[in-house]
Amino acid sequence: MAKYRIKVEALDPSEELRAEYRMGMECDGFCILEKKNENDACTAVHDVGLIDIARMMADSEEMLMAAVVAKAMAEGKHLARDLKARSLAEMIMGGLKGDD
């Protein structure tokens, strides 16, 4: 027997939801990706682990594509941070060389 029932209620009466969302989906654990607005989102993970989430994502072509984009975005942030740090280090080293 499932441990939870997740239901979605549309606050906008013109918004149409699939019946299974309105009636509720039963599950043993869940991961919710929530979009508050364009720049604000959050996640809720309850009674699922890394492998569970990976399996759920593997069953969805859209989630797999999103994972690839998310990985690229994270790598871009790391690259930008590394380039900024390298540039700062070069500026400091250049300044030190000029002190001779």
Side-chain angles (χ1 to χ4, degrees), residues 91-100:
M91 285 180 3
I92 292 170
M93 293 307 290
L96 291 175
K97 287 180 185 176
D99 288 342
D100 291 339

Side-chain angles (χ1 to χ4, degrees), residues 2 13 16 31 34 41 47 51-53 68-70 75 79 86 91 95:
E16 291 187 33
C31 175
E34 175 187 351
D47 276 355
I51 299 302
D52 297 318
I53 295 170
V68 171
V69 172
E75 289 174 357
L79 177 61
R86 185 182 311 155
M91 285 180 3

Side-chain angles (χ1 to χ4, degrees), residues 8-19:
V8 178
E9 175 186 356
L11 300 178
D12 179 352
S14 67
E15 184 73 30
E16 291 187 33
L17 293 174
R18 291 175 24 190

Side-chain angles (χ1 to χ4, degrees), residues 67-94:
V68 171
V69 172
K71 185 174 190 273
M73 291 170 75
E75 289 174 357
K77 286 180 184 178
H78 291 300
L79 177 61
R81 186 175 53 233
D82 291 348
L83 291 174
K84 187 176 181 180
R86 185 182 311 155
S87 176
L88 180 61
E90 288 172 356
M91 285 180 3
I92 292 170
M93 293 307 290

Side-chain angles (χ1 to χ4, degrees), residues 31-43:
C31 175
I32 297 173
L33 305 175
E34 175 187 351
K35 177 183 173 184
K36 293 181 182 281
N37 59 49
E38 282 301 312
N39 299 313
D40 191 15
C42 83
T43 60

